[in-house]
Amino acid sequence: MKYFFWGVLISLVFIRYFSSKPTYHDGDKLRVSGVVCQEPSRFSYQQKISLATLSVYLPKYPEVYYGDKIVVEGVVQKGELQNARLVLKEEEKGALSGLRKSLVGFFQRSLPEPHAALVAGISLGAKGSLPKDFWDNLTKTGTAHVVVASGMNVSLVASFLLGVLVLFLNRKKALFLALVGIWAYTAISGFEAPIIRAAVMGSIAFSAQEMGRVYSAWRALVFTGLILLIIFPDWLTDLGFILSFVATASILVFQKSMDKFFSFFPRLVRGDFSTTLAAQIGVSPILFVTFGQFNLLSPLINVLVLWTIPIITVLGIVGGVVGLLVPFLGRSILFLSYPLTTWFITVVRLFG
Amino acid sequence: MKGSKYIFGLLILVLTLIGLSIGNSPDANLHLIACDVGQGDGILATYKNVQVLIDGGPGDGILECLSRHIPFWDRELELVVLTHPQLDHYGGLIEVFRRYKVNTFLANGLDSSASSYQALKNAVGGSGARVLTPQEGMVLRIGMIYLDILSPSQRLLTQEASNSQTNVLGAFSSKRDPNEFSVVAILRLGEFEALLTGDIGPSEISEILSSGKVRDVEYIKIPHHGSKNGLTLKLLETSSPEIAVISVGKNSYGHPSEETLRMLKEAGVRTLRTDEEGDIEVISDGLSFWTN
């Protein structure tokens, strides 16, 4: 019965994947309309948008943002829409994507580059504005995962909210509000695939905890993954989704034994170190195959920088939200992250 | 106590921040930096807490240059100059206006129909910067830095923009090459003078020379990325610079040209190129100058 249940789920994923895949042929002239559901990547002269499984390169201006409804025309060529032309753009008026845009804007007005982009990347997963050479350094050192919206941000926001809320409310209400917080955060960071996955899993975990059930993280992870793939079949080939899925899975499998193995390490850094190393076991082969580069020092570099991530996330979100109301105060909070981003950037440049 | 860990951490952050602020404090010299912005122009002048930016290069490269040379807490540029509305000079300014508080924007009223120029006009409009139209004979003082405007000439503006508003962006359009409207200025601190030439060509040069305002300077930014349709021997002789900077990147126009490079070599002028050196920083205390 149990196997039947999983079997049905897995088959559903494949049926959805193959039935929903639109078929284009090279040379097809297309007019595609849709909502931009991932923040476009910005380059010096261009922006890259993913729309209906196609990559669309448009001139840098006018800028397209996550949530905008757009219509583009072009010719299909190897999974790209070439000679693309923006026919129509309706801006998303939603409060949340507006909030994300304002937060990133506030970071950019308050901090120099690449500090602003790093804070935006770490706290909101908005990697759109990272300078190209800095991004190269991140990939070279195996630290790019920190600026890609990842499940780690979700558990951070959740535990931060929970920690603050239990000071004022009873546990049940605090948990409920924390769940609301997780989903608000998911929306702010642009409904990126890995964040949604982590948010769904986090929600299930919290709810299970509240209802007093023993929580099997493994099963929750696989279940969430399959359900998400049934809803969004094209994530099956989304590298970000695969990476964060595999990373979480290998943390679940290897983290405990890594921790034991490195028990001679000082406690301050051991948690980070064993977590990263565990994640790297699963992720490295994938990175090696897809990027063709793998840095032997990457676990060490991660240990050197990862401890700054929770602090930068909290300072970024709190500083940003406060800054939208009282700019001076928010900026002062953001400045506190400057020594940390300086450290991060120095380490990454040194090894990059 | 559990909270004390956080307070201790916060204290360390504050102390490091103070340390970094002191380490980043500006000295009492003029720094003139030709930013490595790729194919384009972007020149930053700083003196203590005052910054003047002349052009912003084609893209976001200028932001990194500003980050490298301005203390992190200073989010204000006292003056931004756009020599003329072409992408390799204004592209990066769009983000500059979104991210920095700009007090004054010195730019021609000449319009450009490019969508990115419309984006720049919106960014400037939203920033609250004061727009100022440059004109031959104008002298601006920003802190201790002076800027003498040599071009665009009165004649050109009367001819092309006689009935248009001043101190507004995109006030008029023209069939002429935008290069002809380039802002040319001498930036000076004490005895140190730098001639900044935008993208002017031989005919603008001879007009500027005939006004008699070009004098012996220490530094010249070679016109038009070293194009063969830029620097003239007459300009080089009149200005007799000791150091020449060519702001250039990978391009298909053949910048900088053999002729220009040879002219500089024969005149014995020390020539530095942003595509070879990266950011080129010249420092002056108002008496002498040196490179970094």
Side-chain angles (χ1 to χ4, degrees):
Chain A
M1 192 59 205
K2 213 167 84 185
Y3 295 109
F4 178 71
F5 172 71
W6 292 108
V8 167
L9 278 183
I10 291 170
S11 335
L12 266 176
V13 169
F14 281 101
I15 293 168
R16 280 283 293 156
Y17 180 73
F18 288 107
S19 64
S20 72
K21 208 172 165 59
T23 43
Y24 308 123
H25 301 286
D26 283 3
D28 283 1
K29 248 188 135 169
L30 283 187
R31 170 182 277 232
V32 193
S33 58
V35 176
V36 179
C37 54
Q38 270 188 26
E39 186 65 30
S41 315
R42 300 184 200 290
F43 306 105
S44 282
Y45 306 100
Q46 285 183 317
Q47 47 186 340
K48 180 187 162 202
I49 298 154
S50 304
L51 202 64
T53 75
L54 290 168
S55 304
V56 186
Y57 288 88
L58 287 174
K60 196 173 174 191
Y61 299 97
E63 290 157 306
V64 173
Y65 292 96
Y66 149 70
D68 289 353
K69 187 171 180 294
I70 60 168
V71 179
V72 287
E73 276 181 346
V75 181
V76 178
Q77 197 69 253
K78 290 180 189 144
E80 261 182 41
L81 194 63
Q82 296 199 331
N83 300 324
R85 194 172 68 83
L86 186 63
V87 182
L88 182 84
K89 185 184 96 145
E90 274 170 35
E91 271 177 39
E92 154 79 53
K93 294 288 190 301
L96 282 172
S97 89
L99 177 61
R100 173 190 160 94
K101 215 192 289 180
S102 332
L103 287 176
V104 174
F106 183 72
F107 297 154
Q108 294 178 337
R109 285 194 303 280
S110 307
L111 294 167
E113 289 298 353
H115 300 264
L118 191 58
V119 172
I122 288 172
S123 61
L124 293 171
K127 62 177 186 298
S129 56
L130 274 178
K132 173 87 174 58
D133 59 329
F134 187 63
W135 172 253
D136 289 345
N137 276 336
L138 288 177
T139 29
K140 259 187 245 159
T141 51
T143 48
H145 61 95
V146 305
V147 295
V148 180
S150 75
M152 195 163 79
N153 305 43
V154 173
S155 45
L156 274 170
V157 172
S159 54
F160 177 72
L161 282 178
L162 211 56
V164 175
L165 289 169
V166 287
L167 296 177
F168 308 102
L169 300 165
N170 70 39
R171 192 132 195 107
K172 215 166 180 176
K173 278 187 188 140
L175 274 168
F176 175 74
L177 279 180
L179 282 187
V180 174
I182 293 181
W183 286 97
Y185 177 76
T186 310
I188 293 175
S189 46
F191 284 114
E192 297 251 6
I195 293 240
I196 298 186
R197 181 191 55 76
V200 172
M201 206 178 80
S203 304
I204 292 173
F206 276 120
S207 312
Q209 204 176 36
E210 195 185 350
M211 290 185 291
R213 297 233 176 98
V214 178
Y215 166 56
S216 158
W218 239 116
R219 208 172 298 169
L221 177 70
V222 176
F223 182 74
T224 316
L226 290 174
I227 294 291
L228 285 173
L229 286 176
I230 292 172
I231 306 173
F232 307 102
D234 48 327
W235 288 1
L236 191 59
T237 51
D238 179 331
L239 187 66
F241 181 76
I242 297 171
L243 279 180
S244 72
F245 190 89
V246 172
T248 315
S250 52
I251 288 173
L252 292 178
V253 176
F254 300 113
Q255 208 258 343
K256 275 229 172 78
S257 38
M258 282 291 154
D259 214 39
K260 233 179 251 161
F261 190 79
F262 288 103
S263 54
F264 56 89
F265 260 54
R267 264 197 56 195
L268 197 66
V269 292
R270 194 173 61 207
D272 272 344
F273 188 72
S274 51
T275 310
T276 346
L277 210 60
Q280 296 265 336
I281 293 175
V283 169
S284 311
I286 302 179
L287 287 179
F288 186 67
V289 171
T290 46
F291 293 112
Q293 58 181 348
F294 163 68
N295 195 329
L296 271 178
L297 289 174
S298 136
L300 171 72
I301 303 166
N302 273 290
V303 172
L304 288 176
V305 298
L306 271 195
W307 61 274
T308 61
I309 303 303
I311 317 172
I312 295 176
T313 307
V314 172
L315 288 174
I317 298 272
V318 175
V321 173
V322 170
L324 295 182
L325 307 168
V326 192
F328 174 75
L329 196 59
R331 193 161 289 178
S332 312
I333 298 173
L334 268 189
F335 275 163
L336 287 176
S337 71
Y338 185 80
L340 300 171
T341 48
T342 305
W343 166 255
F344 191 113
I345 291 162
T346 313
V347 170
V348 166
R349 288 234 167 101
L350 195 70
F351 288 98
Chain B
M1 214 185 98
K2 210 180 160 205
S4 63
K5 196 175 97 184
Y6 293 101
I7 295 173
F8 183 65
L10 191 68
L11 200 68
I12 290 184
L13 273 188
V14 173
L15 288 176
T16 333
L17 190 63
I18 294 173
L20 282 172
S21 309
I22 294 170
N24 277 311
S25 291
D27 57 18
N29 291 322
L30 172 76
H31 295 253
L32 189 59
I33 301 126
C35 293
D36 178 20
V37 290
Q39 173 54 32
D41 267 14
I43 295 165
L44 174 70
T46 71
Y47 180 74
K48 291 185 177 167
N49 290 323
V50 170
Q51 292 89 22
V52 176
L53 177 66
I54 297 111
D55 288 340
D60 292 345
I62 193 73
L63 291 175
E64 287 163 72
C65 184
L66 295 181
S67 303
R68 283 193 290 269
H69 298 283
I70 300 177
F72 68 89
W73 68 85
D74 190 343
R75 304 300 297 172
E76 189 173 338
L77 301 175
E78 278 64 20
L79 173 69
V80 172
V81 180
L82 171 60
T83 57
H84 63 294
Q86 275 180 338
L87 188 68
D88 56 339
H89 294 253
Y90 73 73
L93 291 182
I94 299 167
E95 280 299 321
V96 168
F97 275 95
R98 288 181 186 167
R99 294 170 185 228
Y100 287 83
K101 185 180 177 305
V102 176
N103 291 347
T104 307
F105 184 38
L106 184 75
N108 275 306
L110 177 63
D111 204 12
S112 158
S113 57
S115 65
S116 44
Y117 196 68
Q118 306 307 311
L120 175 68
K121 286 198 284 190
N122 289 337
V124 173
S127 76
R130 179 173 66 116
V131 176
L132 199 62
T133 304
Q135 202 183 80
E136 150 189 31
M138 214 177 215
V139 179
L140 281 85
R141 181 185 161 179
I142 317 98
M144 295 295 282
I145 301 175
Y146 284 83
L147 209 59
D148 305 334
I149 309 295
L150 310 186
S151 189
S153 68
Q154 193 67 57
R155 181 198 57 80
L156 182 68
L157 292 177
T158 346
Q159 215 173 70
E160 293 292 321
S162 51
N163 294 319
S164 68
Q165 280 177 285
T166 51
N167 303 339
V168 181
L169 289 180
F172 67 93
S173 43
S174 164
K175 287 202 173 64
R176 286 171 180 270
D177 186 338
N179 289 346
E180 296 177 27
F181 292 85
S182 283
V183 175
V184 177
I186 292 180
L187 183 145
R188 59 189 160 93
L189 175 97
E191 309 278 296
F192 176 80
E193 298 190 316
L195 178 59
L196 307 172
T197 55
D199 275 0
I200 50 171
S203 61
E204 291 80 54
I205 289 175
S206 64
E207 184 168 5
I208 295 167
L209 286 173
S210 68
S211 76
K213 295 224 172 77
V214 177
R215 49 191 184 256
D216 187 342
V217 296
E218 281 68 42
Y219 176 113
I220 184 171
K221 193 229 60 138
I222 298 301
H224 205 172
H225 323 289
S227 161
K228 64 171 186 273
N229 195 23
L231 184 69
T232 63
L233 192 58
K234 194 86 198 299
L235 179 66
L236 197 58
E237 282 167 354
T238 315
S239 57
S240 70
E242 283 150 68
I243 191 162
V245 169
I246 304 179
S247 186
V248 69
K250 223 174 130 186
N251 67 81
S252 53
Y253 313 107
H255 302 331
S257 70
E258 290 295 327
E259 292 95 315
T260 304
L261 292 176
R262 197 180 322 118
M263 205 189 294
L264 286 162
K265 198 174 175 195
E266 280 166 8
V269 181
R270 185 175 168 209
T271 306
L272 297 168
R273 299 165 50 168
T274 56
D275 60 342
E276 291 174 354
E277 311 275 331
D279 291 356
I280 296 166
E281 183 172 6
V282 172
I283 306 168
S284 169
D285 53 8
L287 297 167
S288 59
F289 71 94
W290 58 95
T291 51
N292 220 354

